[in-house]
Amino acid sequence: MGKLGQSVPASRRAGRVSPKGGPPEAGPKAHHRTTGRRLPFLRKPHSVAGQVFLLQLAVVLLLVATAVVVLVIQDRNRAIQEAGDRSLVAAESFANAPGTAEAMQSDDPTAALQPHAEAVRKKTGVDYVVALSPYGFRWTHPDPDQIGKHVSTSYDQALEGEPHQTTFDSSLGKAVDSTVAVFDKKGTAVGLVTVGVTADKVTSVVQHQLPVIFAAGGVALLLAAGGSALVSGRLRRQTRGLGPVEMTRMYEHHDAVLHAVREGVIILDGDGRLLLVNDEARRLLALPPEAEGRSVTGLGLNPALAELLASGRAATDKVFLAGDILLAVSVRPVGLQGGSVATLRDTTELRALAGRADVAGGRLQLLYEASTRIGTTLDMKRTAEELTEVAVPRFADFATVELLEPVLQGGEPTGASREMRRIAAQGIRDDVPLYPVGRRMHYAPGNPVAIGMTTGRPVLVADLAMADGWRAQNPERAQKVIAFGVHSMISVPLQARGQLLGVVEFWRSEQDPFEPDDLSPAEELAARAAVCIDNARRYTREHTTAVTLQRSLLPGALPELSALEVGHRYLPAQAGVGGDWYDVIPLPAARVALVVGDVVGHGLHAAATMGRLRTAVHNFAALDLPPDELLAHLDDLITRIDQGAAAEGDTEAVTGATCLYAVYDPVSGRCVLARAGHPGPALVSPDGSVTFPDVPVAPPLGVGGGLPVETAVLRLPADSRLVLYTDGLVEARGRDIDVGLGMLRQALAHTDGATPDDTCRAVLDAMLRTRSSDDVALLVARTRLLDPEQIEEWEVPDDPAAVSRIRAEATLRLESWGLGEAAFTTELILSELVTNAIRYGAAPISVRLLRDRDSLICEVADGTSTSPHLRRAAFTDEGGRGLLLVAQMSRRWGTRYTDRGKIIWAEQALAAGAVGDLSGVLMADL
């Protein structure tokens, strides 16, 4: 359209039709010239068809030239390669020929070798065959004057048995020299043979392939010419054979349509001058009548619009102000010589409608983001922060959230107190003089926030400077807020299930003041956040309850023991309260039980189950059961619990609990372990080496199905560290348990000489870089052995007369320990226990005294499993008061069974004033 505009008079460019109905060129002669121009495309190389042909011709010639160059290069490389092969073959053949080595060792090598060398050179067509001494002196050469002269080139590679080749530029072109050594029967190099061949002696193949290449180029040129002819014919078909008159009529029609459309059209040349302006564009831009031909920058248009039109850059629906009209301008470059076409549309009314639609769409988008971004966690503070982050800056410039104090603690909002605390604040600037996070807030009755809390409806303050109730709360701070630029506010109560949780305030300083239409989205934001905050509040309450329960069920301060020094750690999971637990239980005879367990899952159910298991373990340990029997009883207990839960319709079973139980004896250093579905322990020897003892594993508790539990027995020297843990320490998402065990081994290897507490700290620092997704319980016990001086043992014959001797020897031992004041009580206890063993038990019978830090333990072992029972004898009974006497005189007593019988033990307290009271026994039934 631009070219047509240039080919007609100015009157035509202004939209006026020529009186003759066509351009001056239209007529019979012009038609004849047009017909004459429809000649083969070669006559007009500037036409599209001619340009296509020239391009194809250039491409074909370039391909032909490239093929020739590549072929020549390949031929040259092949010639050099073949020359090297020919020279190497000739050199190898001459060197290995019969008599060559003997000739080189003769008195006159030149006379023996020169004829043969020349014969080989002429027969093979090489340039030279030269025999050399090992020191580089020529024996043969095509030029006799060169014989006997020294060659400075190094032939070390050839003398070592490896052929040596060199490519060099000679006067005849590229040449290849191959050198090989001649060896005698002993393998000693007696000379060298070097053969040279120029590359030109190798027959070239280029001359055989050039005709084929040129023929292919000719065929390509013919195809290009045919293609160009087809392109020319296609162009004629696309114009449908229209002549000048038809083209003129078509132009007139297009010109009429151009001026009739209700969209401005401007055509510009590459210099930014107007070539064509339709009537709508003239009206929209208020252009003068003589605007065509002038630069667009000189027409008084909006500078930004004029710059865009003059630049010719592509643009789509760029909005500019032209007087009172908003124009949407689109620009598209056209033509190879520059120029562009611009369209203009009046979008004033559409912009107003679009503005309202954008506001509505923005609010919908805001609410959508609120539904996805608020409440991603069950943390009230984080939920309030998410509310402020969604609101700023899309809805407000600043946002603050306060919650009632009981709500922050997870309690129910009673309404008795309106004391609140600000827990979140967000804004476009950090220096706003609003109250900071953490401030306790109490609003006066006339404050808009208090009014909203009372009515349960949002309150709009369009002008804070005129809000007396808000200013009266704190006039000084209110003045600072207004001076900062904050001009309007919306306060919305946070309500859930009909209860007030807190309040959110939205503030504006940079944006337009809030309007009544803003109350609806503000209320919707607050409603969504209130539900999430209420969920977080209830979760906080349950979590606090579960944590309190769990902390109450876990052991507090562990007992001070002679047998072990213990360090422990418990880390709850990110998900909340879990079921991991540990315990240290003192046993008779200074022994200690170590327990680590894990109930799969989190929450109140897991914590409660953990407490039940811990209580059961304490009860079973009080019976002094061995580890395998204790775990078997624990498995039966969990099975009964699961059956009871299923009968009551409770779907939360305990299946998945694991436990490791170990009993350590500081007298012998013997440690007996058993585990049910639990990770095995780690053992750090006194020398610092780390091992993982092989402890047979039974199924987890509750799924064993009555299968037996096996035990392992370890002998632990003093200062060994036994490390018990739950799977949360070594297993993690994306980390295999073998990798975790390797990390644990490495962490323990760097704790040589550390205390158990320091070992716990080092292990957790190395294993848990971040918060674990599972609970972690860790128990580290450093072993000790009782001094042999603290132990005394006697074998007792099956004779009642031996009781007095045992009493006497026990008294002597107590005196040597400095415990003479306990001798009377100990004699009574030993007399009763030993007498019962002799009377009712069976051999072998033995007595052992153990002195612990604050207790004295008497043990009597015999070969029967009959357990004595405590009973109160009648006044007329002659016996039956022995065990009652033992129970009154000792702190505790009991029976434990062994593989060969039982042991009855009694433990006395060594503290002052701890002597048993016998008044209850002596005064019985009086």
Side-chain angles (χ1 to χ4, degrees):
M1 187 177 290
K3 291 182 178 180
L4 291 174
Q6 295 176 5
S7 62
V8 298
S11 61
R12 293 291 297 146
R13 292 196 302 270
R16 296 185 294 273
V17 182
S18 175
K20 296 182 179 181
E25 294 84 350
K29 292 183 179 180
H31 181 71
H32 178 72
R33 288 196 301 270
T34 302
T35 305
R37 285 195 294 268
R38 293 178 182 175
L39 294 176
F41 55 87
L42 289 176
R43 297 185 182 181
K44 291 184 64 178
H46 58 275
S47 66
V48 176
Q51 292 176 3
V52 171
F53 176 75
L54 291 178
L55 177 61
Q56 292 175 338
L57 176 62
V59 171
V60 170
L61 293 178
L62 178 62
L63 292 176
V64 171
T66 302
V68 172
V69 171
V70 170
L71 185 60
V72 169
I73 293 175
Q74 290 179 345
D75 184 74
R76 175 58 62 184
N77 294 336
R78 186 199 59 78
I80 293 175
Q81 180 65 32
E82 187 173 341
D85 295 340
R86 183 178 296 182
S87 65
L88 181 61
V89 170
E92 292 281 2
S93 300
F94 190 87
N96 296 322
T100 300
E102 289 77 8
M104 289 183 175
Q105 292 176 320
S106 63
D107 296 335
D108 190 2
T110 298
L113 296 175
Q114 178 69 8
H116 297 290
E118 286 300 302
V120 170
R121 179 179 66 82
K122 295 176 181 178
K123 182 176 295 184
T124 59
V126 300
D127 290 287
Y128 58 85
V129 178
V130 178
L132 304 172
S133 69
Y135 304 100
F137 293 93
R138 295 188 181 95
W139 283 331
T140 66
H141 198 276
D143 184 3
D145 295 336
Q146 299 296 324
I147 296 176
K149 293 184 178 181
H150 185 266
V151 179
S152 60
T153 304
S154 174
Y155 297 105
D156 293 342
Q157 180 179 347
L159 291 174
E160 292 175 0
E162 293 291 332
H164 176 73
Q165 277 192 336
T166 303
T167 303
F168 58 95
D169 293 321
S170 67
S171 59
L172 298 178
K174 283 285 186 180
V176 181
D177 179 278
S178 299
T179 304
V180 298
V182 180
F183 298 90
D184 59 8
K185 296 180 180 180
K186 297 179 179 181
T188 303
V190 297
L192 299 165
V193 176
T194 176
V195 177
V197 180
T198 59
D200 291 338
K201 288 187 175 293
V202 181
T203 304
S204 176
V205 298
V206 175
Q207 55 187 350
H208 301 297
Q209 298 182 5
L210 286 179
V212 177
I213 294 176
F214 290 139
V219 173
L221 288 176
L222 291 177
L223 293 176
S228 299
L230 292 176
V231 170
S232 178
R234 183 175 181 181
L235 290 176
R236 288 195 298 270
R237 289 192 301 273
Q238 289 178 343
T239 58
R240 301 184 184 278
L242 293 178
V245 176
E246 292 83 358
M247 293 294 293
T248 300
R249 185 179 300 112
M250 180 178 292
Y251 172 77
E252 291 173 350
H253 293 166
H254 290 177
D255 187 67
V257 172
L258 181 65
H259 291 283
V261 297
R262 298 300 296 171
E263 184 171 305
V265 178
I266 299 177
I267 300 178
L268 306 98
D269 63 9
D271 297 328
R273 290 191 300 271
L274 293 180
L275 299 179
L276 180 64
V277 182
N278 73 345
D279 295 339
E280 182 66 10
R282 194 180 301 276
R283 181 187 70 82
L284 294 174
L285 297 177
L287 295 177
E290 298 81 11
E292 287 85 348
R294 295 173 57 182
S295 175
V296 72
T297 57
L299 298 176
L301 302 179
N302 183 316
L305 173 59
E307 190 276 333
L308 175 64
L309 296 175
S311 66
R313 299 191 306 270
T316 301
D317 290 339
K318 294 289 185 180
V319 179
F320 298 93
L321 183 63
D324 296 333
I325 301 175
L326 284 176
L327 295 179
V329 181
S330 298
V331 181
R332 289 293 180 270
V334 296
L336 298 176
Q337 298 178 356
S340 59
V341 176
T343 60
L344 304 94
R345 290 181 291 109
D346 186 356
T347 63
T348 305
E349 295 182 1
L350 181 62
R351 180 62 59 177
L353 293 174
R356 290 194 291 270
D358 288 343
V359 172
R363 290 175 178 174
L364 289 175
Q365 182 65 26
L366 177 67
L367 297 179
Y368 171 75
E369 289 190 11
S371 66
T372 58
R373 293 177 55 185
I374 298 177
T376 59
T377 65
L378 289 173
D379 181 82
M380 285 184 288
K381 187 176 188 305
R382 180 57 192 154
T383 302
E385 291 173 348
E386 290 170 344
L387 170 59
T388 60
E389 291 170 358
V390 169
V392 177
R394 297 188 58 178
F395 182 71
D397 296 321
F398 304 94
T400 55
V401 178
E402 296 95 42
L403 295 181
L404 295 173
E405 289 287 353
V407 173
L408 289 174
Q409 305 302 324
E412 291 288 343
T414 61
S417 173
R418 294 298 178 94
E419 200 75 26
M420 294 190 295
R421 186 183 297 275
R422 180 160 290 176
I423 65 168
Q426 184 75 16
I428 58 175
R429 292 174 58 182
D430 297 333
D431 55 346
V432 62
L434 297 173
Y435 287 113
V437 173
R439 170 69 179 251
R440 288 195 174 187
M441 310 291 293
H442 182 79
Y443 294 100
N447 193 293
V449 178
I451 295 174
M453 295 168 60
T454 302
T455 62
R457 302 295 300 170
V459 177
L460 166 64
V461 181
D463 188 356
L464 290 174
M466 304 299 295
D468 295 336
W470 176 77
R471 293 167 59 89
Q473 178 81 28
N474 189 331
E476 183 179 354
R477 182 171 291 273
Q479 186 59 38
K480 291 181 180 179
V481 172
I482 295 173
F484 183 81
V486 178
H487 49 67
S488 61
M489 181 262 288
I490 291 180
S491 174
V492 188
L494 295 170
Q495 300 179 97
R497 298 181 294 110
Q499 294 180 320
L500 179 67
L501 305 178
V503 65
V504 55
E505 298 100 355
F506 303 104
W507 314 79
R508 280 186 180 177
S509 61
E510 303 293 336
Q511 303 182 43
D512 295 335
F514 284 114
E515 300 176 351
D517 289 343
D518 295 317
L519 289 175
S520 177
E523 191 172 13
E524 184 68 23
L525 281 176
R528 293 174 185 262
V531 173
C532 297
I533 290 175
D534 188 54
N535 291 337
R537 177 193 63 81
R538 290 190 288 178
Y539 170 78
T540 300
R541 181 183 60 192
E542 294 181 3
H543 179 73
T544 303
T545 303
V547 169
T548 303
L549 173 63
Q550 184 190 40
R551 293 300 183 187
S552 66
L553 295 177
L554 285 174
L558 296 180
E560 293 290 336
L561 302 170
S562 300
L564 297 171
E565 179 186 359
V566 179
H568 57 93
R569 290 291 188 278
Y570 174 78
L571 296 180
Q574 287 180 336
V577 177
D580 288 17
W581 55 284
Y582 60 89
D583 217 334
V584 178
I585 306 173
L587 297 177
R591 295 172 302 128
V592 181
L594 301 175
V595 192
V596 174
D598 182 7
V599 177
V600 176
H602 299 89
L604 284 174
H605 180 72
T609 302
M610 177 268 288
R612 298 172 74 176
L613 292 182
R614 180 169 178 258
T615 302
V617 170
H618 270 270
N619 292 333
F620 292 143
L623 299 176
D624 214 344
L625 297 177
D628 52 345
E629 293 185 21
L630 185 143
L631 292 182
H633 286 294
L634 206 61
D635 182 72
D636 293 339
L637 172 64
I638 294 180
T639 300
R640 290 195 301 272
I641 292 175
D642 285 345
Q643 292 173 352
E648 296 175 2
D650 188 358
T651 58
E652 291 190 274
V654 190
T655 302
T658 65
C659 184
L660 187 150
Y661 187 83
V663 176
Y664 174 68
D665 186 356
V667 176
S668 61
R670 184 172 180 265
C671 183
V672 182
L673 305 95
R675 60 182 177 131
H678 201 84
L683 179 61
V684 184
S685 301
D687 59 1
S689 61
V690 181
T691 59
F692 293 94
D694 185 15
V695 179
V697 60
L701 301 176
V703 297
L707 294 177
V709 180
E710 300 182 37
T711 61
V713 179
L714 305 178
R715 294 289 180 177
L716 303 182
D719 290 332
S720 298
R721 279 173 290 165
L722 190 64
V723 182
L724 310 181
Y725 51 89
T726 55
D727 57 358
L729 181 69
V730 294
E731 291 185 3
R733 184 177 301 174
R735 185 178 72 190
D736 190 74
I737 187 172
D738 293 335
V739 177
L741 292 176
M743 294 174 60
L744 177 60
R745 182 193 300 273
Q746 187 175 5
L748 292 173
H750 291 83
T751 60
D752 189 20
T755 64
D757 196 66
D758 292 338
T759 302
C760 291
R761 185 182 302 108
V763 168
L764 293 182
D765 290 343
M767 299 292 293
L768 304 178
R769 302 291 185 184
T770 58
R771 186 81 175 269
S772 175
S773 60
D774 193 8
D775 296 11
V776 175
L778 177 62
L779 191 64
V780 178
R782 183 196 295 275
T783 59
R784 297 170 180 157
L785 293 177
L786 292 184
D787 192 334
E789 291 295 324
Q790 298 177 260
I791 307 168
E792 187 65 40
E793 295 184 82
W794 299 278
E795 294 293 332
V796 180
D798 190 6
D799 183 4
V803 177
S804 59
R805 179 179 62 82
I806 296 299
R807 287 201 305 266
E809 292 183 1
T811 301
L812 292 176
R813 170 52 69 183
L814 292 178
E815 291 177 352
S816 67
W817 285 343
L819 302 176
E821 69 277 4
F824 176 74
T825 305
T826 305
E827 287 182 6
L828 290 177
I829 294 174
L830 286 177
S831 294
E832 177 61 27
L833 297 182
V834 173
T835 300
N836 284 344
I838 295 174
R839 181 178 298 176
Y840 304 110
I845 302 174
S846 62
V847 175
R848 185 171 71 169
L849 288 181
L850 297 177
R851 179 190 176 186
D852 202 355
R853 62 172 67 190
D854 62 347
S855 62
L856 178 66
I857 304 163
C858 302
E859 294 183 342
V860 176
D862 67 80
T864 65
S865 59
T866 303
S867 177
H869 297 283
L870 181 65
R871 66 184 180 89
R872 182 176 294 273
F875 180 74
T876 57
D877 290 343
E878 296 182 0
R881 298 179 179 86
L883 285 181
L884 181 60
L885 179 67
V886 171
Q888 292 294 322
M889 297 300 296
S890 60
R891 179 163 59 187
R892 55 178 180 162
W893 73 281
T895 305
R896 82 173 173 272
Y897 296 94
T898 65
D899 295 338
R900 295 180 297 176
K902 67 177 182 297
I903 297 176
I904 303 176
W905 56 270
E907 181 179 315
Q908 304 173 61
L910 296 180
V915 178
D917 184 9
L918 299 179
S919 60
V921 178
L922 299 177
M923 299 300 294
D925 296 331
L926 290 179

